[in-house]
């Protein structure tokens, strides 16, 4: 009886020892499981990284399209608000000298954008990077003052307005350089273009500020429209070909359409000082194009220009 009891106890001890040995892991099993977990985590990280990159790029692309659509819509609205009255050319004007001369007999036709804005009252003129529009648009609140009471570019003396679109570019000088310096103040960046700027205000008020050369007041009447804009290009369609410059007063006509090309970029963090080409995961620049027909333009007639 005693021998049987001892055998039972010994059997239970053997079984307990066997169970305890089976419940452990060898070093090889631990290494294999660790390797498999590492591969699984690497696969999950790669999948999540691809998803995150795709989501960010899709978001940036959608945001760019929305920015471009907003800018182009506003510019199209302003271009189609241009006023223009065709000048009647008499026989004496056709045979005589039509250039404007001063007392010294030298040609005093305005040469730059600022001097032209002093004398124009309708139409548009522009280059491939600068567009000036003369529009008729009532003030929303109908708050008008007399021309003698104008004190700033924000005051309105009538429906006539000047709207100018241009790039704020570092080192460009004048209003463009002043706006770029203001936008880049305190930032360490390799960018030279601060973005697209717009100046708008009363026709008489802005003309006075321009004639006085008051850059500070012109700057007060200007706003940075979009810092995402890295470049802009205007071309003017006369019915046959695209031209890089247009002067509605000199040509006595409006273009059939204005073609706008916007180049948009991704904004860099304010702490980023590297060149854009050295910043990883940065989307390349994208170009957005819009053709804006001008309703006040006369139908194209061959030989009219």
């Amino acid at each position: 009886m005693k021998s049987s009891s001892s055998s039972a106890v010994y059997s239970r001890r053997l079984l307990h020892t066997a169970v305890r040995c089976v419940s452990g892991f060898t070093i090889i099993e631990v290494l294999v499981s660790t390797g498999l977990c590492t591969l699984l985590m690497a696969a999950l990280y790669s999948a999540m990284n691809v998803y995150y990159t795709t989501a960010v790029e899709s978001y940036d692309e959608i945001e760019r399209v929305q920015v471009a659509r907003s800018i182009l819509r506003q510019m199209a609205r302003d271009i189609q608000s241009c006023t223009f009255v065709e000048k009647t050319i008499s026989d004496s004007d056709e045979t005589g000298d039509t250039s404007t001369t001063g007392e010294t007999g030298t040609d005093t036709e305005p040469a730059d954008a600022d001097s032209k804005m002093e004398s124009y009252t309708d139409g548009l003129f522009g280059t491939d990077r600068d567009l000036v529009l003369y529009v008729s648009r009532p003030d929303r609140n109908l708050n008008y003052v007399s021309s003698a009471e104008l004190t700033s570019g924000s005051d309105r003396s009538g429906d006539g307005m000047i709207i100018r679109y241009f790039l704020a570019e570092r080192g460009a000088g004048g209003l463009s350089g002043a706006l770029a310096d203001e936008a880049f103040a305190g930032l360490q960046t390799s960018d030279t273009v601060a973005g697209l700027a717009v100046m708008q205000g009363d026709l008489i008020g802005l003309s006075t500020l321009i004639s006085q050369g008051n850059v500070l007041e012109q700057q007060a009447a200007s706003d940075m429209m979009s810092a995402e804009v890295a470049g802009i290009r205007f071309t003017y369609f006369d019915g046959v070909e695209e031209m890089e410059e247009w002067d509605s007063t000199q040509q006595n006509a409006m273009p059939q359409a204005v073609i706008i090309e916007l180049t948009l970029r991704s904004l860099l963090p304010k702490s980023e000082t590297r060149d854009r080409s050295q910043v990883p995961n940065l989307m390349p620049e994208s170009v957005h194009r819009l053709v804006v027909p001008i309703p006040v333009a006369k139908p194209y007639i061959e030989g009219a220009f």
Side-chain angles (χ1 to χ4, degrees):
M1 191 71 178
K2 184 176 180 181
S3 176
S4 175
S5 177
S6 299
S7 298
V9 172
Y10 181 73
S11 298
R12 284 198 298 271
R13 287 180 179 177
L14 288 177
L15 179 62
H16 179 71
T17 302
V19 171
R20 184 172 57 186
C21 292
V22 171
S23 63
F25 296 99
T26 64
I27 187 64
I28 296 178
E29 292 174 332
V30 173
L31 291 176
V32 170
S33 61
T34 303
L36 292 175
C37 290
T38 302
L39 292 175
L40 179 61
M41 294 300 295
L44 289 175
Y45 173 79
S46 299
M48 293 301 296
N49 186 51
V50 171
Y51 171 77
Y52 174 78
T53 303
T54 304
V56 170
E57 289 181 354
S58 300
Y59 175 79
D60 288 345
E61 187 174 357
I62 293 173
E63 188 176 27
R64 280 191 187 184
V65 172
Q66 292 176 341
V67 170
R69 185 179 300 171
S70 177
I71 295 173
L72 293 173
R73 184 186 296 119
Q74 180 173 335
M75 296 179 74
R77 169 176 172 263
D78 292 337
I79 291 173
Q80 293 181 333
S81 299
C82 275
T83 59
F84 178 75
V85 178
E86 185 179 3
K87 307 300 185 296
T88 303
I89 302 176
S90 62
D91 294 338
S92 59
D93 292 334
E94 292 179 354
T95 57
D97 185 10
T98 57
S99 61
T100 303
T101 57
E103 295 180 357
T104 60
T106 57
D107 188 2
T108 59
E109 183 181 353
D112 56 0
D114 289 345
S115 59
K116 284 186 177 183
M117 282 189 286
E118 301 175 27
S119 57
Y120 282 41
T121 57
D122 64 356
L124 66 85
F125 67 88
T127 64
D128 58 340
R129 292 168 60 89
D130 198 321
L131 177 63
V132 180
L133 310 169
Y134 292 86
V135 306
S136 178
R137 183 173 300 158
D139 182 68
R140 179 173 298 179
N141 299 318
L142 299 179
N143 293 328
Y144 296 106
V145 298
S146 65
S147 57
E149 297 174 334
L150 288 172
T151 58
S152 66
S154 60
D155 294 333
R156 297 290 301 275
S157 63
D159 294 346
M161 291 183 64
I162 296 177
I163 301 178
R164 179 184 181 187
Y165 290 99
F166 59 99
L167 287 178
E169 192 169 1
R170 180 183 291 169
L175 181 59
S176 175
L179 287 173
D181 292 339
E182 181 182 11
F184 285 138
L187 299 180
Q188 299 293 330
T189 177
S190 60
D191 292 337
T192 57
V193 176
L196 178 65
V198 57
M199 179 181 72
Q200 58 183 346
D202 182 72
L203 174 63
I204 299 176
L206 276 184
S207 298
T208 302
L209 295 176
I210 294 165
S211 63
Q212 294 173 349
N214 194 331
V215 177
L216 289 178
E217 288 295 335
Q218 294 179 54
Q219 188 173 350
S222 304
D223 292 308
M224 288 299 302
M225 189 174 182
S226 175
E228 291 87 353
V229 177
I232 192 168
R233 183 173 182 264
F234 299 104
T235 51
Y236 311 91
F237 182 65
D238 66 354
V240 176
E241 59 181 353
E242 296 180 8
M243 308 171 64
E244 292 188 351
E245 295 184 1
W246 190 272
D247 187 330
S248 60
T249 298
Q250 181 179 353
Q251 295 170 267
N252 198 24
M254 291 285 284
Q256 299 294 307
V258 177
I259 300 103
I260 310 170
E261 289 186 0
L262 281 179
T263 302
L264 298 186
R265 63 191 174 186
S266 298
L267 295 180
L268 293 176
K270 294 183 178 180
S271 59
E272 184 61 66
T273 59
R274 291 177 295 176
D275 186 80
R276 289 181 172 272
S277 60
Q278 301 176 356
V279 180
N281 300 325
L282 197 64
M283 287 185 61
E285 295 179 346
S286 58
V287 179
H288 306 263
R289 190 172 187 266
L290 178 67
V291 178
V292 183
I294 299 182
V296 296
K298 294 179 62 176
Y300 172 75
I301 301 176
E302 187 175 358
F305 291 94

